[in-house]
Amino acid sequence: MKQIKNKKAIVKKEIEESRIWESNKLNALSQYILSESQKQSKERKLRNELLAIQFQIEDYIENDKIENRMRVIDFVKLYLKTLKITQKDLANIFEMRDTNLYKYLIGDRKLNNDLVLKLSYFSHTRPEIWYYLQTKNDLNELSKETEKVKKYEKYDYQKTVLAKSMR
Amino acid sequence: MRVKILDQGKHEVDAEILDGRKFKLPSIQEAWRFNFAKHSKAKGASTFVLVTVETPKIVEGCLIYKMLNDNEPYMAYIEIAPHNKGKDRKHDMIAGCLIAYACRLSFILGKGDYKGWLAFDVQEQDKKEAIKLMSHYSLKYKAKRFEKTTVMLISPEDGEELINTYLK
């Protein structure tokens, strides 16, 4: 009996869910957020969108597993869409040829300091995250290669250098 | 996500905010206020726990996050562990880190005009306690009360500031 009483007393601690999820309150809240959001400047709204992309890049770099592979170009496209410009516009801003920029963004060419700094200043992100992103994808590719480890066993120094000197 | 919290001597402690699915979630039986084990099973609920690197099995704080109507960010439940409450608390800055993390999720998951806004309800039976808690959220985390309800809101500007304070 005592146990039941105690249990009742404990359960009382949690508020009734119906009070939290009361639909009138939530509808009014939705409307309020919309009205407050409309008071925000265009710059602030853009900042909200750009921060969302930055956080997605950071999460992609930090996550152990890659569910959907995202290349530099995939994140750059999110910026282009948000800023309503084309890749060609970006190439002009970066004083580069469109085709050249494309090769860097899809990973055919490795990012260099010049492009990383351009991306960094353009998107207001830390320059290193662009290198981390490239490295993250490289390491992911490497992990796939190590699955085919037999192919590389012949490069072992014991089999190449030492075996030769022993002969 | 790696974060820093403080110990009793105000020294920085390395901690992480992790997906709660891999953890035994706290419940009322373990002297927590909310039954996270139960609420985490609700439709659309995402649960996160804060643990230190040194003691990765001890939950220091817990958060349940939801999207209302698929586009409105909502912090459904947040609580710090009983041993982190009061004067003799073991760690500090846990609530700040979890609220900042929820703000960060609001930027990523919020859609349209709701992007970056974080709403939450102060769930207290006692009105005085609710008001006390609301003023705490208001002073410490810049949350604003929605009309005369117990719902509070953190704006994108203030959310960004919390992220810069607690998650950097």
Side-chain angles (χ1 to χ4, degrees):
Chain A
M1 191 65 184
K2 200 178 175 185
Q3 269 183 332
I4 294 168
K5 267 186 182 174
N6 284 344
K7 201 176 178 186
K8 271 186 181 173
I10 290 166
V11 172
K12 255 187 172 181
K13 278 183 170 181
E14 272 210 321
I15 208 160
E16 285 172 42
E17 282 194 48
S18 57
R19 262 185 64 191
I20 307 164
W21 305 107
E22 202 242 307
S23 64
N24 286 344
K25 185 168 82 174
L26 294 180
N27 288 339
L29 173 67
S30 292
Q31 290 306 313
Y32 180 74
I33 296 173
L34 283 181
S35 69
E36 286 297 300
S37 175
Q38 280 160 12
K39 290 178 198 165
Q40 289 192 305
S41 67
K42 274 186 182 177
E43 289 77 15
R44 181 65 239 181
K45 284 191 173 187
L46 184 61
R47 174 103 186 119
N48 298 345
E49 299 280 346
L50 298 177
L51 278 175
I53 303 171
Q54 182 193 315
F55 296 152
Q56 286 175 72
I57 301 175
E58 289 171 359
D59 285 351
Y60 181 81
I61 293 165
E62 197 175 314
N63 283 344
D64 290 336
K65 282 183 183 172
I66 294 180
E67 283 171 14
N68 295 313
R69 187 171 182 264
M70 294 283 283
R71 297 165 300 171
V72 174
I73 195 167
D74 298 313
F75 286 112
V76 167
K77 275 182 180 173
L78 295 179
Y79 281 108
L80 299 182
K81 192 181 169 195
T82 304
L83 294 163
K84 298 184 177 82
I85 62 165
T86 64
Q87 195 183 290
K88 207 171 179 180
D89 294 331
L90 185 67
N92 284 332
I93 293 165
F94 285 179
E95 298 164 321
M96 292 171 80
R97 288 219 316 257
D98 184 23
T99 48
N100 192 24
L101 174 64
Y102 182 71
K103 282 178 184 168
Y104 283 107
L105 298 184
I106 62 167
D108 271 5
R109 288 183 186 161
K110 292 289 173 200
L111 296 179
N112 56 41
N113 290 352
D114 180 56
L115 184 54
V116 158
L117 286 166
K118 283 174 180 171
L119 285 168
S120 162
Y121 275 91
F122 176 76
S123 59
H124 292 204
T125 53
R126 290 175 294 121
E128 58 267 32
I129 71 164
W130 296 99
Y131 274 133
Y132 289 149
L133 178 55
Q134 179 175 268
T135 307
K136 172 87 182 180
N137 284 331
D138 285 349
L139 289 173
N140 186 49
E141 288 302 311
L142 179 67
S143 71
K144 286 179 192 165
E145 287 296 321
T146 52
E147 287 164 16
K148 307 168 197 164
V149 73
K150 279 222 173 299
K151 188 178 151 189
Y152 297 95
E153 280 175 358
K154 65 178 181 183
Y155 299 108
D156 183 340
Y157 78 94
Q158 289 178 324
K159 291 175 186 170
T160 53
V161 184
L162 294 190
K164 256 185 193 175
S165 63
M166 297 283 276
R167 270 181 218 153
Chain B
M1 160 168 265
R2 283 286 178 121
V3 293
K4 301 266 187 204
I5 57 172
L6 297 177
D7 67 11
Q8 284 174 324
K10 301 286 172 199
H11 302 112
E12 282 192 345
V13 175
D14 288 322
E16 279 184 294
I17 296 172
L18 300 167
D19 186 336
R21 281 177 294 187
K22 293 168 193 165
F23 287 81
K24 185 187 175 292
L25 294 172
S27 64
I28 291 172
Q29 282 72 27
E30 288 146 351
W32 287 60
R33 285 280 326 272
F34 300 118
N35 201 340
F36 284 94
K38 174 188 154 195
H39 297 306
S40 66
K41 290 172 189 154
K43 198 181 164 194
S46 301
T47 309
F48 301 92
V49 296
L50 190 150
V51 295
T52 67
V53 172
E54 204 176 319
T55 56
K57 285 183 181 170
I58 300 172
V59 176
E60 306 289 347
C62 197
L63 161 77
I64 293 184
Y65 187 89
K66 277 184 181 185
M67 293 298 288
L68 302 179
N69 305 318
D70 283 338
N71 54 13
E72 301 168 42
Y74 185 76
M75 184 166 68
Y77 298 93
I78 182 167
E79 191 178 350
I80 56 172
H83 61 261
N84 290 321
K85 290 176 187 171
K87 280 181 186 170
D88 297 324
R89 59 185 175 270
K90 207 172 167 196
H91 296 109
D92 224 339
M93 279 178 72
I94 295 159
C97 288
L98 288 172
I99 292 170
Y101 189 77
C103 289
R104 193 176 181 276
L105 288 174
S106 304
F107 281 102
I108 299 172
L109 302 172
K111 289 174 192 158
D113 286 329
Y114 297 99
K115 194 171 273 295
W117 291 88
L118 179 69
F120 60 97
D121 214 321
V122 174
Q123 300 168 38
E124 283 289 336
Q125 293 275 17
D126 182 53
K127 274 190 178 177
K128 274 185 186 170
E129 274 301 307
I131 287 168
K132 199 174 149 190
L133 205 50
M134 280 192 283
S135 74
H136 173 72
Y137 283 128
S138 174
L139 285 169
K140 199 156 183 189
Y141 308 114
K142 297 186 174 184
K144 288 171 187 76
R145 189 179 180 184
F146 166 54
E147 292 175 349
K148 285 182 179 174
T149 68
T150 50
V151 175
M152 301 202 85
L153 265 179
I154 297 177
S155 71
E157 292 93 327
D158 293 330
E160 186 182 351
E161 215 175 301
L162 291 176
I163 292 165
N164 290 333
T165 305
Y166 290 97
L167 302 182
K168 297 292 165 188

